[in-house]
Amino acid sequence: MTAESPKNERADRYNAREAEARWQKVWDAAQIFATKNDDPRPKYYVLEMFPYPSGRIHMGHVRNYTMGDVVARFKRAMGNAVLHPMGWDAFGMPAENAAMAQKVHPKAWTYSNIAAMKKQLQSMGLSLDWAREVATCDPSYYKHQQKLFLDFQKAGLVAREYRKVNWDPVDQTVLANEQVIDGRGWRSGALVEQRDLYQWVFKISDYSQELLEALDTLDRWPDKVRLMQKNWIGRSEGLLVRFMLDPATTPNKESELEIFTTRPDTLFGAKFMAIAPDHPLAQAAAKTNPKLAAFIEECKHLGTSQAAIDTAEKLGFDTGIRATHPFDPSWKLPVYVANFILMDYGTGAIFGCPAHDQRDLDFVNKYGLGNTPVVLPPNTDPKTFVVTDVAYDGDGTMFNSKNGVIDLNGMTPQKAFDAVANLLAGTTRGNRPVAQRQVNYRLRDWGISRQRYWGCPIPVIHCDKCGVVPVPDKDLPVKLPEDVTFDKPGNPLDRNPAFTNVKCPSCGGDARRETDTMDTFVDSSWYFIRFTDPWNEQSATTPAIANKWMPVDQYIGGIEHAILHLLYSRFFTRGMKKCGYVGIDEPFAGLFTQGMVVHETYRTKGGEWVEPSNVKIEGLGDARTATLLKTGEPIEIGSIEKMSKSKKNTVDPDDIIAAYGADTARWFMLSDSPPDRDVIWTEEGVQGAWRFVQRLWRLVGEIANVSAPAAKPATFGEQALTVRKAAHRALAAVSDDIGKLRFNRCVAHIYECANALSDAIGHIETAPTPDLAFALREAGDILVRLFHPMMPHLAEECWASLGHKSLVATEAWPELEPALLVETSVTLPVQINGKKRGDVTVPRDAGKDEIEAAVLALDAVQKELAGRRPKKIIIVPQRIVNVVV
RNA sequence: GCGGACGUGGCGGAAUGGUAGACGCAACGGACUUAAAAUCCGUUGGGAGAAAUCCCGUCCGGGUUCGAGUCCCGGCGUCCGCACCA
């Protein structure tokens, strides 16, 4: 497991380190990856999710950017004007944490990280247009974001709400619902508390239905991501129903309780009502009922404890209030406060039908309220059907559902839903219908206020006289002050009078500047549009140019952004369209989510994690043992996990590039594992990739030594034809698979091609015949262009050694001779009753009669038939023959 | 709990319903070398056989089909997402 340095220096080997630096300089000098906005060729926009400048790139970046680079280089060779930019998602908490820990200013920290990481990315040989580089923390970027905020505000997409928010006590900031994972902050891991604060929000929920429907148009997105977004938006259709309350039992003047239900068909099975602990009716009832007040207080605590949520016992408290059933004035239902009812979904109140809802059933079983089934499962006897511990939520036929007001018996639940909805919608009480149909979404508005320094300032001013006043355009950007301190928790902007004390733009009086900054997900919700014209100082975009390049044709990044970043970006693009910045709704036409880079973990008997470079592995399979390199102390080999600093199972891209070169790292990243699955990083695998780099170099060297006729020979001999077929077969296969991002198969095809060429050269006794020489040179030219997207430096070196004066990076993709893929004869496997018993070789276009004759002539078939006639012969042309006897 | 994906050699993985295991890694045997590394040649799913060849084999049990790793039904297992959503 020691990273033995390959001997790059030997003269007979390809010196990756030297060659890679050299070609990177050549590319840079020739400016071949700079993209012009007036390029007339068909556009192709390929983008990888831009990195957070943490300081160093990791293997996940290497994998992500290698994939994007393969696509970019391939599309360039295919004749597209390719836009392939890179930038920095540069605002965020780590910069402030570093400021606190290391006494370095977030700006200095961020920019030095950017410089370091840029150098690392450049060492990978990525074909990026660095002239378009943006950093979201730069005023030249966030100036436009502030203008976008104000434009969104004018367009009604921004609101300021007094909101119950998720407060991260460690990071001292508000988190969006999406940023709370299992009750903990997504970054700090701290238990999240509930607090009430004024929050700026983007009204993403205005687009719930549109964001949901448009998912169907994203046919080049993974189904998985579309489904995750669909579930996140969480549409449900139901009925809002107003229940009358028994006046004698209500604590205040409330005469009604409005509930939301998706199952009005089960109203005859109702046994109770339940309201959220923070429902106004519950609050009112608690005023005169100390026990209820205590219960409500208890619910609040339960909500924040992770363990309590997991065990999730359904608890309730009878308020004493009674509600009247809408179908029967004499039917009274008890109203409970229940800990499993959420105030922010529906109306914060439900009716409970225990027979057909598991939660409700658990609840009545605890409080002895009983249940009445009203949906009869198919093929079930109504006399014997009972519900005890398991609620029935399937389809069936309505029963037990009839009185003088309505008769649902015999209907399907769907029909019953409509019957109930129609009846109650047509019944009025106090000039309003008793019920109305309603669609609910799980998706909440996007709270963007963050009490942090290192973010984009929200460009508004608070004036006692004029209220909230937008910063005038001429005063943009609202720049972050640089003289800030991080010696105390909380937002440094709050204690910066030079920043906060301003004059009201409206009345000129003393006013206070907003100190909240924007969630960094705002920064990344439009950077892909900014890349189209990052030079525009006046506006976030130049619409004609944005419309030329957008949408992104291929977006590549991690699955962890399946909901947050991608949903916000879809919303933001719609907002920008509404404000006239772009003409499209969907920012990403094609999406690919790549797998993680994982590695075995190692730890001492004492439980301490050990870095792979310190471990020596011996043996095979289950018998593998590991010891500490220095001391020989035994090490436990742990599970394979995502590379992470905490488990010390990381491999530094810099070390790999220094030892083997970028091409080896790139090739290994693309080999073996399908790109959407995890790839296991192994030292053996990297060495295998490095050996192949050397092998290609030797192979091309041998081909370069072949002197071939300038003109294409009129005919090719068998050997030459074999070589040509191998090259063109690989060409066809790689072209197809690269377009589908199946890089692991591309790698296999390139191996096959190289194997075939090595084989052909190995069989040459003295000098190749002219036709073979020509075929080898042709195949060499094809092979080099085929692996160029994956290993661009090696490809340049090989291309030059083959005598070409051009750069392979600017060469067109090889042209396929389809005739070479067509075989003149085919060998068909012959099965008898589905088992292979031989094969026949027939002309490619042989008719069924001809094939049948050849098959029947086979010894194996003759023997099996023993004179009988076959029952049936199935002939699939150019595929297989099956004889049924 | 709900939703989804997946299950193939020692390992990563190939395989429009049509010869299962392409390609790579690892391993083993050989050549070259004083030796090693590198390189090259060969073997490599299991079993029987001297060989030709045959039998078994894609998590388990059924089914559809001339033919199933692939499609359908029922299990088991792994992974991912969501989770008191009414």
Side-chain angles (χ1 to χ4, degrees):
Chain A
M1 193 49 66
T2 56
E4 278 168 43
S5 179
K7 296 161 189 70
N8 267 335
E9 300 75 24
R10 278 175 52 164
D12 58 339
R13 293 215 182 148
Y14 171 61
N15 185 337
R17 197 201 306 232
E18 181 275 324
E20 289 182 356
R22 180 157 40 82
W23 288 113
Q24 282 161 19
K25 264 189 210 153
V26 172
W27 294 332
D28 194 40
Q31 287 288 297
I32 53 174
F33 306 131
T35 308
K36 293 199 174 72
N37 279 340
D38 59 0
D39 193 320
R41 294 173 297 173
K43 72 98 177 178
Y44 194 90
Y45 188 175
V46 54
L47 184 69
E48 301 96 63
M49 291 178 184
F50 67 164
Y52 177 79
S54 58
R56 302 193 63 76
I57 64 167
H58 53 67
M59 282 300 174
H61 293 127
V62 174
R63 193 175 193 205
N64 192 178
Y65 302 143
T66 298
M67 290 179 190
D69 200 45
V70 171
V71 174
R73 287 176 181 270
F74 174 65
K75 288 293 175 181
R76 227 175 260 120
M78 293 297 283
N80 290 97
V82 171
L83 179 57
H84 187 212
M86 181 56 74
W88 310 95
D89 188 13
F91 272 137
M93 224 107 56
E96 284 185 66
N97 293 341
M100 285 183 268
Q102 303 159 31
K103 310 259 179 262
V104 53
H105 194 280
K107 182 178 170 182
W109 184 85
T110 302
Y111 278 97
S112 84
N113 284 351
I114 286 175
M117 287 175 75
K118 184 173 178 180
K119 212 173 148 192
Q120 287 186 295
L121 290 184
Q122 285 170 328
S123 77
M124 284 180 62
L126 304 170
S127 63
L128 291 164
D129 182 359
W130 284 105
R132 293 172 189 258
E133 178 181 4
V134 299
T136 58
C137 65
D138 199 293
S140 68
Y141 183 85
Y142 68 68
K143 165 185 167 179
H144 303 297
Q145 190 164 308
Q146 291 171 340
K147 181 69 165 64
L148 285 167
F149 175 91
L150 296 174
D151 285 348
F152 276 27
Q153 194 175 32
K154 279 184 209 137
L157 297 175
V158 175
R160 191 157 184 264
E161 296 175 358
Y162 196 61
R163 259 199 174 191
K164 192 176 289 281
V165 297
N166 305 301
W167 178 259
D168 186 321
V170 170
D171 282 337
Q172 300 238 330
T173 189
V174 169
L175 300 174
N177 282 340
E178 289 86 335
Q179 292 164 344
V180 179
I181 294 152
D182 294 337
R184 290 170 184 272
W186 74 298
R187 202 189 281 274
S188 71
L191 280 174
V192 168
E193 299 167 3
Q194 303 296 309
R195 284 199 187 180
D196 288 311
L197 283 177
Y198 267 114
Q199 290 291 296
W200 290 100
V201 302
F202 281 137
K203 300 201 59 90
I204 190 172
S205 66
D206 285 1
Y207 288 83
S208 297
Q209 185 60 24
E210 201 189 318
L211 288 168
L212 180 68
E213 280 173 6
L215 285 173
D216 290 337
T217 68
L218 299 174
D219 54 353
R220 290 204 297 120
W221 278 40
D223 290 342
K224 183 184 179 178
V225 174
R226 290 198 282 177
L227 186 68
M228 282 164 75
Q229 292 216 350
K230 185 182 169 210
N231 291 340
W232 191 264
I233 295 168
R235 179 193 155 103
S236 61
E237 287 178 45
L239 207 60
L240 281 175
V241 185
R242 294 155 60 211
F243 279 66
M244 287 274 281
L245 294 178
D246 195 341
T249 61
T250 47
N252 57 359
K253 290 168 196 134
E254 291 290 339
S255 59
E256 292 189 342
L257 177 61
E258 190 172 44
I259 60 103
F260 176 70
T261 178
T262 55
R263 294 297 302 272
D265 49 306
T266 64
L267 261 169
F268 277 100
K271 288 294 167 188
F272 66 96
M273 314 288 293
I275 59 179
D278 41 358
H279 193 281
L281 185 60
Q283 299 290 328
K287 281 185 185 145
T288 56
N289 188 340
K291 281 187 180 168
L292 177 57
F295 175 76
I296 289 171
E297 196 55 34
E298 201 182 314
C299 289
K300 277 187 186 164
H301 291 301
L302 276 172
T304 53
S305 153
Q306 178 63 28
I309 289 172
D310 283 349
T311 53
E313 191 187 0
K314 313 267 171 291
L315 295 175
F317 192 98
D318 186 353
T319 58
I321 303 169
R322 294 295 174 263
T324 306
H325 197 284
F327 297 156
D328 180 357
S330 66
W331 185 350
K332 303 296 179 190
L333 294 160
V335 178
Y336 278 74
V337 172
N339 64 346
F340 60 95
I341 307 300
L342 307 175
M343 192 56 219
D344 61 358
Y345 187 82
T347 61
I350 63 151
F351 86 86
C353 175
H356 304 292
D357 182 293
Q358 191 60 46
R359 271 172 332 191
D360 295 349
L361 184 63
D362 292 346
F363 191 78
V364 296
N365 285 346
K366 184 173 177 72
Y367 294 103
L369 301 172
N371 75 74
T372 306
V374 293
V375 180
L376 186 66
N379 308 315
T380 311
D381 183 352
K383 291 192 184 72
T384 57
F385 179 61
V386 288
V387 170
T388 52
D389 293 331
V390 181
Y392 179 73
D393 60 0
D395 232 329
T397 313
M398 303 306 300
F399 75 130
N400 294 338
S401 298
K402 180 186 176 180
N403 69 3
V405 176
I406 191 168
D407 179 3
L408 306 174
N409 285 347
M411 293 183 183
T412 62
Q414 292 74 23
K415 279 252 172 66
F417 182 116
D418 289 334
V420 171
N422 291 341
L423 174 70
L424 295 181
T427 311
T428 53
R429 189 164 65 227
N431 293 330
R432 282 171 56 219
V434 169
Q436 64 185 90
R437 289 173 187 266
Q438 203 198 34
V439 175
N440 255 311
Y441 299 91
R442 214 189 72 114
L443 183 67
R444 303 267 86 93
D445 280 331
W446 173 18
I448 59 157
S449 286
R450 296 292 180 273
Q451 293 67 47
R452 308 303 308 178
Y453 165 72
W454 196 233
C456 173
I458 293 174
V460 297
I461 288 165
H462 300 276
C463 172
D464 287 340
K465 262 201 274 179
C466 312
V468 175
V469 183
V471 172
D473 287 359
K474 67 176 173 53
D475 294 338
L476 294 181
V478 175
K479 280 197 190 178
L480 284 171
E482 299 204 8
D483 55 330
V484 283
T485 53
F486 295 91
D487 45 357
K488 288 174 242 173
N491 186 353
L493 292 176
D494 280 336
R495 29 176 214 269
N496 192 304
F499 179 75
T500 54
N501 296 340
V502 286
K503 296 295 177 195
C504 171
S506 180
C507 70
D510 285 346
R512 194 172 24 84
R513 191 185 292 286
E514 171 69 62
T515 57
D516 281 356
T517 52
M518 294 185 210
D519 179 6
T520 58
F521 276 108
V522 181
D523 311 343
S524 55
S525 290
W526 68 285
Y527 78 105
F528 41 87
I529 297 177
R530 182 66 186 168
F531 275 141
T532 62
D533 189 11
W535 305 284
N536 187 337
E537 291 178 15
Q538 303 309 314
S539 172
T541 70
T542 311
I545 297 173
N547 290 337
K548 170 193 165 135
W549 290 109
M550 292 297 292
V552 175
D553 295 277
Q554 185 65 62
Y555 197 35
I556 308 177
I559 186 75
E560 68 272 20
H561 292 112
I563 297 170
L564 308 183
H565 165 56
L566 293 169
L567 193 60
Y568 292 152
S569 296
R570 295 180 63 218
F571 159 73
F572 217 85
T573 303
R574 283 169 168 79
M576 288 178 76
K577 183 187 178 190
K578 191 173 184 186
C579 297
Y581 286 93
V582 278
I584 51 143
D585 291 314
E586 287 296 338
F588 312 120
L591 173 71
F592 189 85
T593 53
Q594 104 259 6
M596 296 183 298
V597 182
V598 296
H599 194 291
E600 236 173 17
T601 52
Y602 311 100
R603 59 203 310 185
T604 62
K605 300 282 183 208
E608 276 175 53
W609 300 102
V610 181
E611 286 170 27
S613 58
N614 293 334
V615 176
K616 184 182 177 186
I617 309 252
E618 284 166 306
L620 277 176
D622 291 343
R624 283 182 352 133
T625 57
T627 49
L628 204 59
L629 208 58
K630 281 181 190 153
T631 62
E633 180 190 340
I635 296 290
E636 283 175 18
I637 299 176
S639 57
I640 294 170
E641 295 191 49
K642 180 181 180 173
M643 283 191 178
S644 74
K645 280 181 190 157
S646 63
K647 292 185 177 141
K648 292 196 177 175
N649 62 341
T650 56
V651 175
D652 190 336
D654 264 3
D655 294 346
I656 298 300
I657 291 172
Y660 300 99
D663 286 340
T664 296
R666 293 170 61 125
W667 185 254
F668 174 68
M669 278 302 182
L670 301 169
S671 308
D672 296 349
S673 289
D676 53 344
R677 282 197 222 168
D678 292 350
V679 61
I680 305 173
W681 183 275
T682 62
E683 189 67 19
E684 294 81 4
V686 181
Q687 283 176 1
W690 182 73
R691 277 199 301 272
F692 188 60
V693 167
Q694 297 299 334
R695 218 186 112 202
L696 281 176
W697 171 240
R698 284 194 306 274
L699 175 63
V700 172
E702 287 177 65
I703 292 172
N705 282 334
V706 170
S707 53
K712 184 175 175 179
T715 58
F716 289 93
E718 195 185 326
Q719 275 190 309
L721 207 55
T722 306
V723 166
R724 299 195 75 217
K725 280 179 181 173
H728 283 267
R729 232 188 330 245
L731 170 58
V734 171
S735 307
D736 184 39
D737 282 332
I738 254 186
K740 294 172 180 162
L741 282 73
R742 297 193 287 209
F743 305 120
N744 57 320
R745 304 214 312 185
C746 294
V747 165
H749 300 312
I750 288 168
Y751 267 110
E752 278 171 326
C753 181
N755 289 347
L757 300 195
S758 299
D759 215 41
I761 288 176
H763 282 94
I764 297 172
E765 303 264 324
T766 48
T769 54
D771 64 325
L772 179 56
F774 183 92
L776 282 170
R777 293 298 296 239
E778 181 200 4
D781 282 358
I782 290 175
L783 176 64
V784 171
R785 280 177 290 174
L786 286 188
F787 71 72
H788 152 253
M790 293 95 174
M791 296 189 284
H793 313 87
L794 177 68
E796 292 292 1
E797 195 78 357
C798 289
W799 192 246
S801 85
L802 285 169
H804 299 286
K805 302 290 176 230
S806 61
L807 289 170
V808 74
T810 57
E811 279 294 315
W813 197 244
E815 212 166 301
L816 183 69
E817 268 184 49
L820 285 168
L821 305 182
V822 180
E823 299 289 343
T824 53
S825 69
V826 288
T827 301
L828 300 177
V830 176
Q831 297 180 331
I832 296 172
N833 292 335
K835 300 214 172 198
K836 197 198 165 195
R837 284 293 181 271
D839 43 44
V840 288
T841 301
V842 294
R844 199 186 80 87
D845 51 1
K848 292 204 170 183
D849 290 349
E850 192 179 343
I851 295 171
E852 190 171 319
V855 166
L856 289 174
L858 279 177
D859 282 351
V861 174
Q862 288 290 333
K863 220 161 99 184
E864 186 70 33
L865 285 174
R868 289 171 294 163
R869 286 197 53 77
K871 278 191 194 143
K872 204 171 174 186
I873 298 181
I874 289 126
I875 295 169
V876 184
Q878 294 171 57
R879 271 291 178 190
I880 201 165
V881 180
N882 193 9
V883 182
V884 186
V885 296

